[in-house]
Amino acid sequence: MNDNPQDQVLLKLIKQSKRKKRLLNIFSPLIVTFLFLLITGILFLNYFNLGPFTGDKIAGVPDNHLRMEQTTSPFNKLLFDNSNAYQFNYYGTRVELWLAHYQNGQKMKETQIGPIIVHDSPTEKHQIAGSLAYGLNQKSEKEQDNAALSFYFEMNGASTSDKINLADYAFEDITGYSFGIRGATDSQTIYSKNSHTITKDVTYDLITLISEGPFYQTTERKEQFKDNPNGLVLYLVFK
């Protein structure tokens, strides 16, 4: 047996080193995994504006994206024949909602509806968080009501709403329509990947209506409404 004090100290140090190495081998992968999950979780929350990163933004919607909301509620079915809703987070100067009226391919009137002032300077870029819901009611002979388009538009806490009587645009009846922004599918979860990237100055058609004639699936207005005595399109533009 070696009774040399120096050897005893050396053996003790070797044992401690082996123990530390063993513990390091055990806990290093756990620490790395924990840090990976922590960083991934923070990036996830930041990208989808969740938790501490929500602030004044719409939770679950990434920056410069819009997302279609579910409108399958029984209350929506009671209020409208068809309805849609979107939420968006956008960094830009403004968001505009327009209604355009066409007759046989010719633009008769184009009106910006529901203007909302959300910033002191309309040309300065700023964060815009908004919601838009709209619904269509067909003409009812029983209720003696004309077809109508209703909307609710909210941005950064300011809101506006209106009900548009389609008889004001010479609509006797609606014979064809399309609903919803192409590519912006219905989301099932708050962190859904189905959100749609917003492109500046692109026209996002929300609903297209015709009173007579064939329905053409195109965004070229003159071609779209060329054989329709009356056509309406409600659309959104991000500036």
Side-chain angles (χ1 to χ4, degrees), residues 47-142:
Y47 179 77
F48 286 101
N49 294 310
L50 295 170
F53 299 101
T54 300
D56 295 327
K57 298 178 181 179
I58 302 295
V61 181
D63 292 342
N64 294 317
H65 281 69
L66 63 81
R67 182 186 65 190
M68 182 177 173
E69 297 300 298
Q70 289 180 313
T71 54
T72 54
S73 165
F75 296 105
N76 282 338
K77 293 180 180 179
L78 283 173
L79 294 171
F80 303 109
D81 295 324
N82 296 90
S83 63
N84 256 352
Y86 293 94
Q87 291 184 313
F88 57 84
N89 287 317
Y90 178 66
Y91 185 76
T93 56
R94 61 192 184 278
V95 182
E96 300 174 349
L97 184 64
W98 290 84
L99 182 69
H101 178 211
Y102 289 81
Q103 289 184 337
N104 298 310
Q106 299 299 315
K107 184 191 295 182
M108 306 304 295
K109 187 178 181 181
E110 192 170 33
T111 309
Q112 185 178 355
I113 58 176
I116 305 174
I117 299 174
V118 296
H119 199 266
D120 293 336
S121 174
T123 59
E124 182 180 338
K125 287 188 175 183
H126 58 287
Q127 183 63 44
I128 304 173
S131 301
L132 171 65
Y134 58 99
L136 175 67
N137 281 324
Q138 302 269 21
K139 183 177 181 180
S140 173
E141 299 292 346
K142 183 178 179 181

Side-chain angles (χ1 to χ4, degrees), residues 7-78:
D7 291 343
Q8 292 294 331
V9 172
L10 183 59
L11 287 172
K12 187 177 180 180
L13 290 174
I14 292 173
K15 288 180 179 179
Q16 289 178 348
S17 177
K18 287 182 178 180
R19 191 181 300 115
K20 287 181 180 179
K21 188 175 181 180
R22 203 178 303 119
L23 291 173
L24 193 61
N25 288 336
I26 293 172
F27 287 105
S28 289
L30 295 177
I31 294 171
V32 171
T33 302
F34 172 77
L35 290 175
F36 173 77
L37 293 175
L38 178 63
I39 294 171
T40 302
I42 291 173
L43 292 174
F44 176 87
L45 293 175
N46 181 60
Y47 179 77
F48 286 101
N49 294 310
L50 295 170
F53 299 101
T54 300
D56 295 327
K57 298 178 181 179
I58 302 295
V61 181
D63 292 342
N64 294 317
H65 281 69
L66 63 81
R67 182 186 65 190
M68 182 177 173
E69 297 300 298
Q70 289 180 313
T71 54
T72 54
S73 165
F75 296 105
N76 282 338
K77 293 180 180 179
L78 283 173

Side-chain angles (χ1 to χ4, degrees), residues 178-196:
S178 68
F179 238 85
I181 298 172
R182 295 179 185 179
T185 54
D186 194 357
S187 61
Q188 300 298 320
T189 60
I190 196 170
Y191 50 86
S192 173
K193 294 181 179 179
N194 291 331
S195 56
H196 185 80

Side-chain angles (χ1 to χ4, degrees), residues 193-227:
K193 294 181 179 179
N194 291 331
S195 56
H196 185 80
T197 303
I198 294 170
T199 303
K200 180 182 176 183
D201 293 327
V202 168
T203 298
Y204 291 98
D205 291 354
L206 301 169
I207 182 171
T208 305
L209 308 169
I210 60 171
S211 60
E212 290 180 37
F215 192 90
Y216 298 112
Q217 292 284 358
T218 175
T219 55
E220 177 60 42
R221 303 294 188 216
K222 192 170 183 179
E223 180 71 18
Q224 187 177 24
F225 299 114
K226 65 179 181 180
D227 295 324

